Amino acid sequence: MRSDKLIDLFWQRFRQNSLAVAGGIIVLALFVIAIFAPVISPYDPHEIDRKHILEPPGLSHPFGTDDLGRDILSRMIWGGRISLAVGFVAVGISTMIGIILGALAGYYGGWAERIIMRFIDIMLSIPTFFLILAVIAFIGSSIWNIMVVIGLTSWMGVARLVRAEFLSLKEREYVLAARAMGAGDLRIIFRHIMINSMAPVLVSAVLGIAGAVLVEGALSFLGIGVQPPTPSWGNILTLGKDNIEIAWWLSVFPGLAILITVLGYNLLGEGIRDSIDPRLWETERK
Amino acid sequence: MPVYLIKRIFEMIPTLFGITLITFFIIHLAPGKPSDIFSELNPKITPEAREKLEKYYGLDKPIMVQYGLWLKKVVRLDFGESFSSDRRPVMQKIWDRKKPLLERRLFVTFMINIISVVIILLIAIPIGISSAVRRNSLFDKITTTTVFVGFAMPSFWLALLLMMFFGVYLHWLPISQLKSMNFDSLSFSGKILDVARHLVLPLFVSAFGGIAGDSRFMRSSMLEVIRQDFVTVARAKGLPEHLVIYRHALRNALLPLVTLIGLSVPGLIGGSVIFENIFGIPGMGQLFYMAVMTRDYPLVMCILTIGSMLTLIGNLLADIGYMIADPRIRAR
């Protein structure tokens, strides 16, 4: 079984790359925290406690409390769910669009390719953050809107990648062989080419999650993303800015959470890339 | 080369057309209407008055007609009147000829972005070179780690931390606006110093991500070049190492960076919304935020179009720079 061996080889390389493993552990921990949020958060994230307003970190509230006396640690644990959901759904959407358009352009070529490539050029020239900001401000900042809009504006990289993979793979002998045996376009696209171009797509998806987490954080920080009272790391930071002279803990901890999350996905993504790409393995280890 | 260049410039026209078409439709077809904002401000507004307003702004016409009318004006660089109560021409809002340069929003954003690109290059290139040349040294390990963390740093968080430390705690630097209250009474050099002090933190924030990204890029580009045969030849003929690096390798390693700078324009422009809002800087990003909040369609479209144009120009300049730097492409 050749594929089993490949996975073994990948895993062997991945394990030796301590940064990649660290990234994997961070991502895993984020999942565990998000899943068990109701169990591990010490307080109800919405519980208002007027007696303990803006309390600095201490034994009862390890990360302090906000201007309504809510426990910051609990709010951050629940906020982790938001950032995880936004990251995965947004990247899921952008990867799907990217794969479909990239495959169409790379496999069929011709006018389909010309139109799609022009569309990519156009999307890449629009300052996307401006567009995201405008659309979400107009249609309302529900978490679904945020995920969908980020997804719809960040597929261009994947599309280019998939097109390049298709261009190089569709001329390979094994594809010609499949065609000679009477395989249809759909079968060749999905069964033969797509499978073999998944590795770089996976890498770019993992790195894309990091980007989506940053965008959601920025939107929520600007007051256009996730709206209070729903906790998100970005909107806790907004409180931090409003209370910058009196409550440092509102600014420090949520930002650190975003930093660690993004770092985790970046390390994991680059780790996967290094483990997949044998050329990099020989020449350079980061 | 001129033929390629002319072709390249002409190709920008359909792209720009496509950009305006897509953004116009997205902005105008998003649910809700600008008149919702008017009724929010004035709940007593009658449906007739709303209709009148929509008619006044041409929002009652079919979208294709609206786009055609908009485009007809835009080719003459007239982006229409703002929907806000002052109804000033949109162009005047971003570039007011009657005001000093520092109060023209487009200039402020442009200046900050240009300065931060220069800072990025001045810092990222040397870092990238040294860590590539001294690969796996302590310096390389420290910079690689720093760069990785820097890459993951949310710019808005960095801004908050800097404000807290240098502004609130140390009281060294101002944390908002572009100039002090007593700006007009300052001497000329005092004015420059005042603006510079206000710019330190915003520039740091806007350059930070770029420094991380570009130095990493520079490092891998340099590593790629150092491996090539001509570098080995240069060494073999006895050239001193600094000549090998700075005369032979560097020129080739810089080439891909030129493209990267062009591609980083939309990111820089997008970032300006964030730091202009945090630091209260009166630039395009802050204006865009306000325009979006009040559904000021003409202003939103104007800033999106100008932002895209700057991106296209950035890419064009990168291509030209690439041609100047690389004789192989020039020859085509």
Side-chain angles (χ1 to χ4, degrees), chain B residues 121-135:
Chain B
L121 295 180
L122 283 181
I123 298 179
I125 294 176
I127 290 182
I129 297 171
S130 338
S131 48
V133 172
R134 278 176 280 163
R135 199 171 129 206

Side-chain angles (χ1 to χ4, degrees), chain A residues 102-116:
Chain A
L104 284 177
Y107 187 78
Y108 290 106
W111 59 265
E113 184 180 28
R114 271 203 297 279
I115 290 175
I116 290 169

Side-chain angles (χ1 to χ4, degrees), chain A residues 229-248:
Chain A
T230 306
S232 93
W233 296 339
N235 68 30
I236 304 174
L237 279 175
T238 316
L239 282 181
K241 189 190 174 231
D242 296 342
N243 299 292
I244 192 165
E245 304 196 2
I246 44 176
W248 57 268

Side-chain angles (χ1 to χ4, degrees), chain B residues 125-305:
Chain B
I125 294 176
I127 290 182
I129 297 171
S130 338
S131 48
V133 172
R134 278 176 280 163
R135 199 171 129 206
N136 290 334
S137 66
L138 186 65
F139 176 81
D140 181 31
K141 281 185 182 136
I142 291 173
T143 50
T144 306
T145 315
T146 317
V147 157
F148 230 107
V149 175
F151 216 54
M153 182 71 110
S155 59
F156 46 97
W157 187 49
L158 182 69
L160 269 187
L161 293 183
L162 292 173
M163 277 167 95
M164 209 151 58
F165 190 67
F166 290 103
V168 178
Y169 181 67
L170 293 175
H171 290 286
W172 282 2
L173 293 165
I175 57 174
S176 93
Q177 302 291 331
L178 202 54
K179 46 194 188 185
S180 306
M181 302 288 254
N182 61 349
F183 184 76
D184 291 324
S185 65
L186 294 172
S187 64
F188 181 70
S189 55
K191 280 180 178 169
I192 290 185
L193 190 72
D194 187 54
V195 172
R197 273 166 51 83
H198 281 84
L199 278 178
V200 173
L201 296 183
L203 278 176
F204 191 92
V205 171
S206 111
F208 192 79
I211 293 173
D214 288 10
S215 62
R216 193 169 171 72
F217 192 82
M218 189 67 215
R219 175 177 181 271
S220 53
S221 170
M222 195 73 187
L223 282 176
E224 190 96 346
V225 171
I226 286 179
R227 271 211 308 269
Q228 287 178 20
D229 291 343
F230 73 89
V231 173
T232 317
V233 170
R235 283 201 182 115
K237 75 178 182 187
L239 273 187
E241 186 65 17
H242 68 271
L243 281 184
V244 175
I245 299 295
Y246 291 102
R247 184 163 299 165
H248 292 259
L250 180 59
R251 284 189 184 184
N252 289 280
L254 278 176
L255 278 179
L257 199 69
V258 177
T259 317
L260 191 72
I261 301 166
L263 287 176
S264 65
V265 176
L268 281 170
I269 297 175
S272 57
V273 187
I274 296 172
F275 70 78
E276 285 180 10
N277 259 296
I278 299 177
F279 292 108
I281 291 172
M284 296 260 284
Q286 195 194 43
L287 186 67
F288 187 76
Y289 185 82
M290 296 192 282
V292 155
M293 285 313 194
T294 53
R295 289 191 92 114
D296 192 341
Y297 286 170
L299 194 49
V300 170
M301 278 309 299
C302 174
I303 298 177
L304 275 173
T305 310

Side-chain angles (χ1 to χ4, degrees), chain A residues 143-206:
Chain A
I143 180 168
W144 285 103
N145 287 346
I146 294 170
M147 297 194 265
V148 171
V149 172
I150 295 178
L152 288 177
T153 46
S154 54
W155 49 269
M156 293 80 79
V158 184
R160 280 188 159 179
L161 203 75
V162 171
R163 170 179 167 266
E165 289 286 319
F166 266 69
L167 281 181
S168 82
L169 289 176
K170 75 174 176 189
E171 306 294 339
R172 297 279 173 88
E173 281 87 354
Y174 80 94
V175 174
L176 293 178
R179 183 165 297 139
M181 284 160 75
D185 279 355
L186 281 182
R187 191 179 167 81
I188 292 177
I189 289 179
F190 287 106
R191 190 88 189 89
H192 297 286
I193 304 185
M194 196 85 88
I195 293 287
N196 284 295
S197 60
M198 276 304 100
V201 173
L202 177 70
V203 173
S204 107
V206 174

Side-chain angles (χ1 to χ4, degrees), chain A residues 75-95:
Chain A
R75 290 184 71 72
M76 280 175 55
I77 290 172
W78 285 82
R81 281 193 161 185
I82 303 270
S83 96
L84 199 71
V86 170
F88 273 84
V89 176
V91 167
I93 294 171
S94 67
T95 308

